[in-house]
Amino acid sequence: MAMWFLRIFMLLLVSSCVSSDFLENPDFESPPLNLPKNLNASSVSLDQNSTLPGWTFQGTVLYVTSLELPDTGHAVQLGEDGKINQTFIAKGDDLNYILTFALIRGGQNCSSSAGLSVSGPDSNAVFSYRDNISKVSWQSYSHNLGRWGNGEPINLVLESQAIDSDTNSTCWPIIDTLLIKTIGVTLVQESGNLLTNGGFESGPGFLPNSTEGVLIEEVPSLIQSALRQWSVIGTVRYIDSEHFHVPEGKAAIEILADKAPSGIQTATRDTSEGSRYNLTFTLGDANDACRGHFVVGVQAGSTAQNFTLESNGTGSGEKFGLVFEADKAAAQISFTSYSVTMTKEDVLCGPVIDEVIVHPPLGGATSVKPTWLLLICVFLYVAVL
């Protein structure tokens, strides 16, 4: 009962952290003040006489009025040297400010897509629209703006970044629907788990009208990652239980391996060098028509083992486990997918990881994946006694 209550408390705590009131006009639905009333064009270029509520801008910036967008159809496109920014004020004690935004491909007949640089006072990352990552014309990405508090100003800057020297054939990024989520510096720890955020309940916010989850690009630092206490290798998709199969709680991780392996990594707390621990986790699929042979490599301390799952893409989940010996006080835990799998719509997909638990020290023999045979053996042993 106590464990059940703690899990419910954690879910309520996490869900209360999402906020959209930090930014003014975050979805660009308040148009430029001088926009023509009977505008028939799909976009209009902003100039020195334009004022976009809540935002300042430089360079080539277009107000887009007709696209398949996640909200009601207004966005901003950043052309060559285009930049927009807005400063908002941190609220309360020290919190992590995590941004989620929609990125739309800027056109069809172009040889490359320009990058979008997203930065805060001490953070920066570049994102690009990827053709094989979603089945709709826009994608949700996340970025950790950093840790702030006590009324500190946070200047959010978004600007285009050319990737190809031929700017005439470049699709410039279109941005829509920005959402900021705050997460406390100290996360609630589930009793009996030596990992923090082992259920992935603490991560970026989901956009209101999104059914595609949130993409988290490579972030080697636990501190800078939008997935709290986990670093990211390659690309993963943060999925919600409303639109995907999530084994436990409200969120999980889908690993998207492409040209190179992808995965997540963290570290235990309070482990003792030389002691043995049991790592358990759930491996499954997101119910997104991802069919194939999943191979996930798990590293725990100095122990490494591959786990496989045949997925039919309809929402499965199976518990696995391994025993490892801690090689240091903070043992590394990682999950890496080596399987490149795609749906029939040529969208990248992959294995789902959830319910990662490192149990307190063991005194017995090495345990393996729980099976019915093991349960029967235990039953017979108890019966003999």
Side-chain angles (χ1 to χ4, degrees), residues 18 21 23 40 46 61 75 97-98 139 146 196 200 204 209 252 281 302:
V18 179
D21 60 359
L23 297 174
N40 294 321
L46 305 183
V61 177
Y97 285 77
I98 298 176
Q139 298 159 1
T196 301
F200 308 112
N209 297 317
F281 62 94
S302 59

Side-chain angles (χ1 to χ4, degrees), residues 60-349:
T60 303
V61 177
L62 291 83
Y63 187 68
V64 180
T65 61
S66 177
L67 269 180
E68 182 186 342
L69 300 172
D71 55 28
T72 57
H74 300 91
V76 164
Q77 183 172 24
L78 304 180
E80 187 175 6
D81 301 322
K83 178 171 71 173
I84 61 172
N85 70 283
Q86 181 174 155
T87 299
F88 63 95
I89 303 300
K91 299 180 180 180
D93 297 329
D94 284 355
L95 297 169
N96 289 290
Y97 285 77
I98 298 176
L99 172 71
T100 303
F101 62 94
L103 180 63
I104 302 101
R105 184 179 177 89
Q108 298 296 328
N109 300 318
C110 45
S111 60
S112 65
S113 293
L116 174 69
S117 172
V118 179
S119 61
D122 60 357
S123 66
N124 177 260
V126 177
F127 305 87
S128 295
Y129 183 90
R130 295 169 59 181
D131 291 322
N132 64 345
I133 213 79
S134 66
K135 58 186 178 183
V136 295
S137 62
W138 53 275
Q139 298 159 1
S140 296
Y141 285 91
S142 62
H143 176 63
N144 187 356
L145 296 173
R147 173 180 170 180
W148 307 97
N150 302 321
E152 294 177 298
I154 304 173
N155 186 29
L156 171 63
V157 181
L158 303 100
E159 57 185 317
S160 62
Q161 181 168 312
I163 297 176
D164 197 313
S165 58
D166 184 7
T167 57
N168 292 325
S169 62
T170 297
C171 283
W172 298 99
I174 298 176
I175 314 153
D176 192 18
T177 314
L178 294 92
L179 175 71
I180 290 179
K181 177 179 179 179
T182 58
I183 298 178
V185 175
T186 302
L187 299 180
V188 177
Q189 187 96 28
E190 184 176 331
S191 176
N193 190 358
L194 300 183
L195 292 181
T196 301
N197 198 24
F200 308 112
E201 298 300 314
S202 184
F206 297 100
L207 297 184
N209 297 317
S210 172
T211 61
E212 299 290 304
V214 181
L215 298 170
I216 307 176
E217 299 281 60
E218 183 158 335
V219 183
S221 168
L222 296 177
I223 298 175
Q224 296 176 342
S225 175
L227 182 64
R228 304 306 299 140
Q229 295 300 313
W230 291 85
S231 60
V232 175
I233 303 168
T235 303
V236 301
R237 178 183 285 120
Y238 191 56
I239 60 174
D240 63 309
S241 58
E242 185 177 348
H243 301 101
F244 298 89
H245 171 71
V246 171
E248 188 272 336
K250 297 293 185 181
I253 289 297
E254 182 181 19
I255 305 177
L256 308 179
D258 195 359
K259 297 178 181 178
S262 293
I264 53 176
Q265 179 175 292
T266 189
T268 60
R269 64 175 181 88
D270 301 331
T271 51
S272 299
E273 185 175 353
S275 295
R276 291 154 50 85
Y277 298 86
N278 187 20
L279 167 69
T280 61
F281 62 94
T282 298
L283 173 63
D285 74 271
N287 191 24
D288 56 0
C290 190
R291 300 179 180 178
H293 183 70
F294 295 158
V295 180
V296 176
V298 179
Q299 180 88 28
S302 59
T303 302
Q305 183 175 337
N306 286 345
F307 295 85
T308 62
L309 181 73
E310 292 295 334
S311 169
N312 59 10
T314 57
S316 62
E318 188 173 351
K319 288 186 180 295
F320 292 84
L322 64 83
V323 166
F324 69 97
E325 183 176 295
D327 53 355
K328 59 182 68 174
Q332 297 294 315
I333 306 292
S334 66
F335 296 84
T336 307
S337 174
Y338 303 98
S339 308
V340 180
T341 46
M342 305 187 77
T343 68
K344 291 182 178 180
E345 298 170 309
D346 294 327
V347 175
L348 277 176
C349 58

